[in-house]
Amino acid sequence: MAAPAQLGLQNAASPIMEELIAFHDHALMIIFLISSLVLYIISLMLTTKLTHTSTMNAQEIEMIWTILPAMILIMIALPSLRILYMTDEFNKPYLTLKAIGHQWYWSYEYSDYEDLAFDSYIMPTYFLEPGEFRLLEVDNRTTLPMEADIRVLISSQDVLHSWAVPSLGVKTDAIPGRLNQAMVASMRPGLYYGQCSEICGSNHSFMPIVLEFIYFQDFEVWASYLYIV
Amino acid sequence: MLRHIFGQVKKHPSLIPLFVFIGAEGGGATLYLLRLALFNPDVCWDKKNNPEPWNKLGPNDQYKFYSVNVDYSKLKKERPNF
């Protein structure tokens, strides 16, 4: 989850998010360089006593400021397209999870196991234990195995929602009548928080998502325990 | 029209990179659109002979323009035939 007053991206928990963070740093550095160059040139132009009033024939500089921005744009576009195609890849998922948005909670179904499904409501503030996060905790966390490719099928039962977990680089719209597919994979165990990202009514800000990634053996124990109950 | 453009280019050679980049970008966009129209299995041109090409996907064909990690020629078909 985000630290207080955090401006940057959250720490990556999946390989895709690492790529996104690296690309973001690359593009942001280019933006900072161009902006500081432009600001410096503006300050030079505003503080000079020299003037030039005749039309200039400036072929060389025109060539430079056509070719250089084109090169910069290509340098931004190629990694961007690579990541775009990478996020679209699906490599033999180990598990399939259905995340269905409702007003105003998420329900999860693990159809690979028989009858494993539950709803995930927000934990109201007056029920929180010390140390828990306001507006981010849920009653039933979505438990998943780490280091496994998981296919998440996202849909909605009423209005538009969006299933987003920033640490894993996932944000996929939940559209009624449509199944959207996203791949989720975490490299380490932990809790990853997200919030509904498409306006869906009065409690749109109060339907968070908590993914709990645990070791593989513990996940099998959890799934069998819920299945029996 | 073209002669007029050549005259301008001779007087202002800095127009050459402009034409090159805009031409490459426009040509690239057109070629990609053509590729999508002709090779994308979601597109149906011939309703009589090939009405639903999205039902005839092979496990080893790559339909995307660029594949980063997945080598489609090495995949195996794991589903039953209809």
Side-chain angles (χ1 to χ4, degrees):
Chain A
M1 59 150 265
Q6 177 170 340
L7 293 176
L9 297 167
Q10 295 182 21
N11 290 338
S14 78
I16 292 281
M17 191 59 194
E18 282 190 356
E19 300 267 358
L20 282 169
I21 291 177
F23 173 69
H24 174 261
D25 292 342
H26 167 75
L28 199 62
M29 179 54 84
I30 293 179
I31 289 172
F32 283 156
L33 288 174
I34 295 175
S35 303
S36 31
L37 177 68
V38 168
L39 274 176
Y40 175 60
I41 292 177
I42 290 175
S43 67
L44 281 184
M45 291 200 173
L46 290 176
T47 54
T48 179
K49 292 204 170 46
L50 306 166
T51 56
H52 189 128
T53 52
S54 61
T55 329
M56 292 174 272
N57 192 1
Q59 295 305 309
E60 299 81 5
I61 194 172
E62 293 261 353
M63 264 224 237
I64 292 176
W65 69 37
T66 304
I67 295 179
L68 205 55
M71 298 280 124
I72 292 175
L73 285 177
I74 292 175
M75 265 176 41
I76 299 177
L78 289 182
S80 172
L81 284 176
R82 175 177 167 270
I83 295 180
L84 188 65
Y85 277 98
M86 206 188 283
T87 56
D88 216 22
E89 280 178 345
F90 296 97
N91 324 311
K92 289 176 73 89
Y94 168 76
L95 180 68
T96 299
L97 167 73
K98 288 209 286 276
I100 304 191
H102 307 253
Q103 279 180 317
W104 287 279
Y105 62 98
W106 293 94
S107 67
Y108 298 101
E109 297 174 25
Y110 295 69
S111 309
D112 296 325
Y113 300 86
E114 226 175 280
D115 272 347
L116 179 47
F118 52 87
D119 297 336
S120 180
Y121 281 83
I122 184 177
M123 183 73 84
T125 309
Y126 42 84
F127 282 138
L128 288 175
E129 305 281 323
E132 287 188 334
F133 304 118
R134 189 181 73 95
L135 303 185
L136 281 177
E137 298 284 355
V138 295
D139 52 1
N140 299 322
R141 296 182 186 145
T142 309
T143 311
L144 291 168
M146 58 176 260
E147 284 180 343
D149 287 320
I150 294 159
R151 172 201 279 137
V152 187
L153 294 172
I154 299 158
S155 181
S156 163
Q157 201 244 343
D158 38 40
V159 298
L160 293 179
H161 300 272
S162 186
W163 198 78
V165 183
S167 301
L168 300 168
V170 170
K171 182 180 289 181
T172 312
D173 281 355
I175 298 168
R178 180 186 171 91
L179 267 186
N180 279 333
Q181 183 176 280
M183 287 302 273
V184 151
S186 171
M187 301 175 300
R188 48 193 161 88
L191 292 173
Y192 304 117
Y193 293 86
Q195 291 174 294
C196 175
S197 301
E198 182 71 37
I199 186 85
C200 51
S202 57
N203 284 359
H204 154 70
S205 323
F206 307 111
M207 43 184 294
I209 298 146
V210 181
L211 299 182
E212 182 175 352
F213 280 91
I214 56 179
Y215 291 110
F216 195 82
Q217 304 88 311
D218 301 329
F219 175 71
E220 299 273 311
V221 167
W222 173 87
S224 61
Y225 172 71
L226 269 190
Y227 168 48
I228 291 170
V229 164
Chain B
M1 178 70 190
L2 229 47
R3 234 179 326 149
H4 175 71
I5 293 180
F6 276 140
Q8 290 289 330
V9 167
K10 273 208 272 269
K11 258 205 298 178
H12 303 278
S14 63
L15 285 174
I16 296 175
L18 198 66
F19 281 130
V20 164
F21 285 117
I22 301 287
E25 168 241 318
T30 312
L31 283 177
Y32 184 66
L33 209 57
L34 272 178
R35 183 204 133 91
L36 276 184
L38 296 174
F39 297 119
N40 192 0
D42 293 334
V43 168
C44 168
W45 290 108
D46 193 0
K47 272 214 278 221
K48 228 190 317 184
N49 297 333
N50 194 10
E52 290 177 355
W54 50 86
N55 281 334
K56 298 202 194 105
L57 302 177
N60 289 332
D61 298 332
Q62 179 184 323
Y63 297 101
K64 296 199 290 194
F65 178 62
Y66 172 50
S67 171
V68 187
N69 285 327
V70 182
D71 187 0
Y72 284 91
S73 56
K74 296 220 175 67
L75 293 181
K76 290 195 301 287
K77 180 169 179 172
E78 293 164 8
R79 304 279 180 264
N81 290 322
F82 271 112

